[in-house]
Every structure is written in structure tokens, then in C-alpha cells.
Amino acid sequence: MQHLLFELPKPIIFAHRGSSAYAPENTLAAFALAVKQGVPALELDVKLTSDGEVVVIHDPTTRRTCGVNGTIKKMTLSQIKKLDAGSHFDPAFTGEKIPTLQEVFDLVGKKIFINIEITNYTSIFDNLPNKVAELVKKNKLQQWVFFSSFNPIALWKIKHLLPEIPIGFLAEAGKPGRLARSRLFEWLNYQAFHPYYGDVSLDLVRYHHQKKRLVNVYTVNQAETMRSLQQMQVDGLFTDDPILAQQILHPNQ
Ligand code: G3P
Ligand code: MG
């Protein structure tokens, strides 16, 4: 059976960190809102706590989104659960927590397609890919998720654990992403390429299409950029504003 990723209407709109223009990023509120808004897919960032739980947060620390100094990989889940991840966005969201991946699955699993970004960038050999694979299997969400990372080791590991699920290789913006955009990573056997929008060209899209890969572009919040990427036939884009993206890319739906 073809994986659901390849069946989604193109360009695929991924609500980046949930519907993060309208609710605090990477919270249950932002994910529930993406479902309510009728967005087909969302993106989230996962990390390991010191006691081996999988939590959903972008930064390695809690400073920006919780207003408190703390490093996720050095904190237990119960310490993390005491923090408020909502009020930095708007006081109306006070009390929103950093969710576990299991809580996200409980709330929106099988309601929306999920791109799980494996963000073990400060501990590239940790157990996060194994823990994520376990949760996906336990929840029987193999058709409803795919994985991405800037870390090729994490992708290689999870591909071996769940070979039927596609992987997306992320490339850093500009010069730091040159290696990832080169042909040196063909060994990784990835099914989607995820470049920064400023690095996308027709040649790049054609190259990956020849390799039967999707090209999903991050993070696109301007209508003009959405239009020009659609003209270049990219397969998907990550946006903080999925409502705008739907108006621009799928105006008749
Ligand atoms: O996965 C797309 C995008 O989220 C990658 O960058 O830093 O927002 O996780 P970042
Ligand atoms: Mg991300």
C-alpha cells in the first residue's frame, strides 16, 4: 500500500509546530486548532527528557517558550510539566503545557497527518529514534506519520526500525546546508527533501523529482513565496499560517 504521505493533496500544507500563527507553537492547542481549521498535515519537534520521555518542543531549552531557564535533556518530565508554554504567546493560553508525543497522538492521531521532526541535534546518537518508533507502533500510526531531521543518523536509525515509513532529509538554510543539498547523502535513501525556501530552484525540484522524492519547503509565511514555490511544483510547504496557505494554494476548497 502506498503511504498516505504520497496521497495528500499537493502542495501539502503542513501547519508548522501546529497552527502556530494562531496558538502557541508545539502545544496541544496549536495541534487541535490545525485539525479544526481543516489543515491536512502538521509538523512538530520531538526531544528526549532526562528520564527518557518523548516531549514536543522546538528549542533545546525552555527559555523562549516558557520564560524559565532549563535544558530539556537535563530535565525530567515532571519538571517540564510544571512549566507554562502558552502565556509567552498570549495570556489567553496560560496553562498550556509542553506536551508528550503520546498526548499529541491521543488528541489528534488519525485526525491529521503528522511530520515528526527528530530534533536530537545536541545528542545525535541518543535513543530518541527508538522511542519515537515504539510510540508510533504502539499507537498504530504508521500510515499517519513520517519522519524528518537535519540529523542523518537519526533518520538512518528510524528507517531501519520502520522501513515502511518515509523519511525527509532537512537541509539548513544557505551555506551550512550545502552538503545536505549535494549528492553526498544519496546513501541515506530518503523519500522527501526538505530545503529552506530561499534555496529552492527549479533545478533542485527537478533533481529530487527524478529521484522520486517529494520536495517540502520550510518555513513559508508570505503569499508571494507560496505562489512562486507552487509554480516550481514543490510538493509541500511548512507554514505558521495554514489559513493563508489554504487561501493561496487551494482557493477552491
Ligand atoms: O521541519 C521544518 C522546519 O520545522 C525545520 O526547521 O527549526 O523550524 O524545526 P525548524
Ligand atoms: Mg521543526
Side-chain angles (χ1 to χ4, degrees):
M1 185 172 37
Q2 171 97 307
H3 193 270
L4 182 56
L5 171 64
F6 301 98
E7 308 285 332
L8 295 170
K10 289 182 189 174
I12 306 163
I13 298 169
F14 292 92
H16 180 242
R17 309 180 193 173
S19 203
S20 59
Y22 305 96
E25 65 179 59
N26 281 326
T27 62
L28 294 180
F31 303 137
L33 189 57
V35 172
K36 197 171 158 204
Q37 290 170 335
V39 185
L42 64 80
E43 184 261 5
L44 53 77
D45 306 286
V46 292
K47 289 185 175 58
L48 267 189
T49 66
S50 67
D51 49 348
E53 300 290 335
V54 181
V55 290
V56 181
I57 181 169
H58 176 269
D59 297 5
T61 70
T62 55
R63 177 81 241 163
R64 180 175 60 87
T65 53
C66 302
V68 176
N69 280 329
T71 302
I72 294 295
K73 69 180 177 190
K74 294 183 181 161
M75 297 168 81
T76 61
L77 181 61
S78 83
Q79 287 172 321
I80 288 167
K81 279 294 183 186
K82 293 194 174 79
L83 305 178
D84 172 6
S87 57
H88 76 98
F89 180 83
D90 188 300
F93 290 97
T94 302
E96 273 300 318
K97 302 292 182 199
I98 294 172
T100 62
L101 185 58
Q102 181 60 54
E103 287 167 340
V104 178
F105 286 168
D106 288 341
L107 188 71
V108 299
K110 297 189 183 167
K111 291 189 181 146
I112 190 166
F113 189 79
I114 302 176
N115 175 202
I116 302 172
E117 183 184 341
I118 302 171
T119 67
N120 55 351
Y121 304 129
T122 63
S123 48
I124 57 173
F125 298 108
D126 73 12
N127 225 11
L128 181 60
N130 311 63
K131 296 267 174 158
V132 171
E134 267 172 39
L135 285 168
V136 169
K137 280 192 231 175
K138 189 177 117 195
N139 290 273
K140 299 192 169 56
L141 285 171
Q142 286 91 331
Q143 272 290 329
W144 288 88
V145 303
F146 84 118
F147 309 112
S148 64
S149 188
F150 292 99
N151 174 6
I153 296 155
L155 290 176
W156 187 83
K157 276 185 168 178
I158 206 153
K159 188 72 183 160
H160 278 76
L161 295 165
L162 287 167
E164 72 274 32
I165 302 187
I167 53 173
F169 187 36
L170 274 153
E172 301 270 5
K175 266 193 184 173
R178 269 194 310 199
L179 209 61
R181 290 194 298 276
S182 76
R183 291 164 197 204
L184 281 174
F185 281 91
E186 290 299 334
W187 58 269
L188 186 56
N189 183 26
Y190 53 104
Q191 290 70 48
F193 186 60
H194 292 186
Y196 173 67
Y197 70 87
D199 296 321
V200 175
S201 64
L202 261 178
D203 279 352
L204 180 130
V205 175
R206 281 189 191 133
Y207 173 74
H208 289 286
H209 282 173
Q210 265 172 25
K211 297 275 178 189
K212 307 268 181 257
R213 288 181 196 127
L214 302 186
V215 177
N216 301 319
V217 182
Y218 73 93
T219 300
V220 190
N221 292 326
Q222 303 297 326
E224 257 330 288
T225 317
M226 291 174 185
R227 280 194 199 99
S228 77
L229 289 167
Q230 187 173 30
Q231 276 166 9
M232 285 195 253
Q233 302 200 332
V234 307
D235 302 282
L237 50 82
F238 300 92
T239 180
D240 300 333
D241 192 344
I243 297 289
L244 174 69
Q246 295 196 113
Q247 282 163 1
I248 300 294
L249 303 173
H250 300 288
N252 302 320
Q253 285 168 20

Short mmCIF file of all heavy atoms in Angstrom, two decimals, residues 16-17 43-45 58 117 119, ligand 2:
data_model
loop_
_atom_site.label_atom_id
_atom_site.label_comp_id
_atom_site.label_asym_id
_atom_site.label_seq_id
_atom_site.Cartn_x
_atom_site.Cartn_y
_atom_site.Cartn_z
N HIS A 16 3.10 24.36 10.70
CA HIS A 16 4.45 24.30 11.28
C HIS A 16 4.38 24.52 12.80
O HIS A 16 3.96 25.59 13.25
CB HIS A 16 5.30 25.40 10.61
CG HIS A 16 6.70 25.48 11.10
ND1 HIS A 16 7.20 26.60 11.72
CD2 HIS A 16 7.70 24.58 11.07
CE1 HIS A 16 8.47 26.40 12.02
NE2 HIS A 16 8.81 25.17 11.64
N ARG A 17 4.77 23.50 13.55
CA ARG A 17 4.65 23.50 15.02
C ARG A 17 3.18 23.64 15.42
O ARG A 17 2.84 24.26 16.43
CB ARG A 17 5.50 24.60 15.67
CG ARG A 17 6.95 24.60 15.19
CD ARG A 17 7.79 25.70 15.83
NE ARG A 17 9.06 25.84 15.11
CZ ARG A 17 9.96 26.77 15.31
NH1 ARG A 17 9.76 27.68 16.26
NH2 ARG A 17 11.07 26.83 14.60
N GLU A 43 3.38 19.71 11.49
CA GLU A 43 4.77 19.38 11.81
C GLU A 43 4.99 19.66 13.28
O GLU A 43 4.41 20.61 13.82
CB GLU A 43 5.70 20.27 10.97
CG GLU A 43 7.17 19.99 11.10
CD GLU A 43 7.93 20.91 12.05
OE1 GLU A 43 7.29 21.77 12.72
OE2 GLU A 43 9.16 20.77 12.14
N LEU A 44 5.79 18.81 13.93
CA LEU A 44 6.15 19.07 15.33
C LEU A 44 7.58 18.59 15.56
O LEU A 44 8.14 17.84 14.76
CB LEU A 44 5.15 18.40 16.29
CG LEU A 44 4.86 16.90 16.12
CD1 LEU A 44 5.98 16.03 16.65
CD2 LEU A 44 3.55 16.56 16.83
N ASP A 45 8.18 19.07 16.68
CA ASP A 45 9.58 18.78 17.00
C ASP A 45 9.64 17.94 18.27
O ASP A 45 9.05 18.33 19.28
CB ASP A 45 10.33 20.10 17.25
CG ASP A 45 10.19 21.07 16.10
OD1 ASP A 45 10.82 20.86 15.06
OD2 ASP A 45 9.41 22.05 16.24
N HIS A 58 10.51 22.81 20.29
CA HIS A 58 11.49 23.11 19.25
C HIS A 58 12.89 23.37 19.81
O HIS A 58 13.87 22.77 19.38
CB HIS A 58 11.04 24.31 18.42
CG HIS A 58 12.05 24.72 17.40
ND1 HIS A 58 13.04 25.64 17.66
CD2 HIS A 58 12.27 24.29 16.14
CE1 HIS A 58 13.80 25.77 16.59
NE2 HIS A 58 13.36 24.96 15.65
N GLU A 117 9.52 15.80 13.41
CA GLU A 117 10.93 16.17 13.23
C GLU A 117 11.71 15.68 14.45
O GLU A 117 11.42 16.07 15.59
CB GLU A 117 11.10 17.68 13.04
CG GLU A 117 12.57 18.03 12.77
CD GLU A 117 12.85 19.53 12.67
OE1 GLU A 117 11.91 20.32 12.46
OE2 GLU A 117 14.03 19.89 12.83
N THR A 119 14.56 15.95 16.65
CA THR A 119 15.47 17.09 16.86
C THR A 119 16.50 16.79 17.96
O THR A 119 16.71 17.62 18.85
CB THR A 119 14.67 18.38 17.18
OG1 THR A 119 14.04 18.22 18.46
CG2 THR A 119 13.61 18.68 16.15
MG MG B 2 10.66 21.73 13.04
#
